[in-house]
Amino acid sequence: MNYSIVRSVGILLARIGIGSVFLAHGLQKLNTYGYAGTKASFQGMDVPMASVSAFVVTWLEILGGIALIIGVLTPIVGALFALDMLGTYFFAHIDMGLWVVDGGYELVLSLGMGSLLLAVVGAGRLSVDALLAPRVRWLAAGSTQPRNPVAASN
């Protein structure tokens, strides 16, 4: 079994799954609730600068979801989604317990930690980031073969 291809496919599937959920939530904010509904919801949760936050979160989830799916700027998008979920936890779910059926943070925790993991490991070989990595070195995490520490020091 080729560990590298298994890892790359695993990262790809995680990106597609997590990115799809964020994309769906962003589209829900845009198309179902609308800007006014999302802003009102954020105001009701005492989210700072609710009008700006509603706009930013909606478009982060839409554009960031697409970015994760195709694997572009994954470390940045993953970190932003982890912060998004941290805010969601504190403003919407902190007092609701774990279980999502009770309004808890189960989904928020899973999405946040998955996003954080993608921010750390990168997009993998099956991504736009892998194509950009030779020119943008910080995108190379998870995109290239593990470096040989002995060869790297020579």
Side-chain angles (χ1 to χ4, degrees):
M1 178 187 300
N2 184 338
Y3 172 76
S4 179
I5 197 69
V6 170
R7 182 176 193 270
S8 295
V9 170
I11 294 170
L12 171 67
L13 294 174
R15 283 192 352 254
I16 291 170
I18 294 168
S20 295
V21 172
F22 277 112
L23 176 59
H25 279 265
L27 290 172
Q28 181 183 43
K29 287 174 179 68
L30 181 68
N31 297 322
T32 302
Y33 307 136
Y35 172 71
T38 303
K39 180 177 119 180
S41 176
F42 280 31
Q43 287 170 330
M45 292 182 279
D46 294 325
V47 174
M49 300 186 313
S51 57
V52 173
S53 297
F55 179 84
V56 169
V57 167
T58 297
W59 288 103
L60 169 63
E61 291 179 355
I62 292 169
L63 298 175
I66 294 167
L68 273 192
I69 291 167
I70 63 174
V72 65
L73 301 176
T74 302
I76 293 170
V77 173
L80 289 173
F81 277 152
L83 291 173
D84 178 22
M85 291 299 95
L86 186 62
T88 302
Y89 169 76
F90 281 111
F91 288 106
H93 299 280
I94 193 167
D95 295 329
M96 306 301 280
L98 175 66
W99 308 117
V100 73
V101 71
D102 298 324
Y105 57 87
E106 175 179 18
L107 178 63
V108 169
L109 179 64
S110 298
L111 289 172
M113 293 301 100
S115 297
L116 180 62
L117 183 62
L118 290 173
V120 173
V121 302
R125 288 183 170 190
L126 304 174
S127 66
V128 173
D129 284 352
L131 298 173
L132 298 175
R135 293 190 181 115
V136 186
R137 304 271 303 149
W138 57 269
L139 290 175
S143 300
T144 59
Q145 287 281 19
R147 293 191 184 117
N148 180 341
V150 175
S153 66
N154 291 334

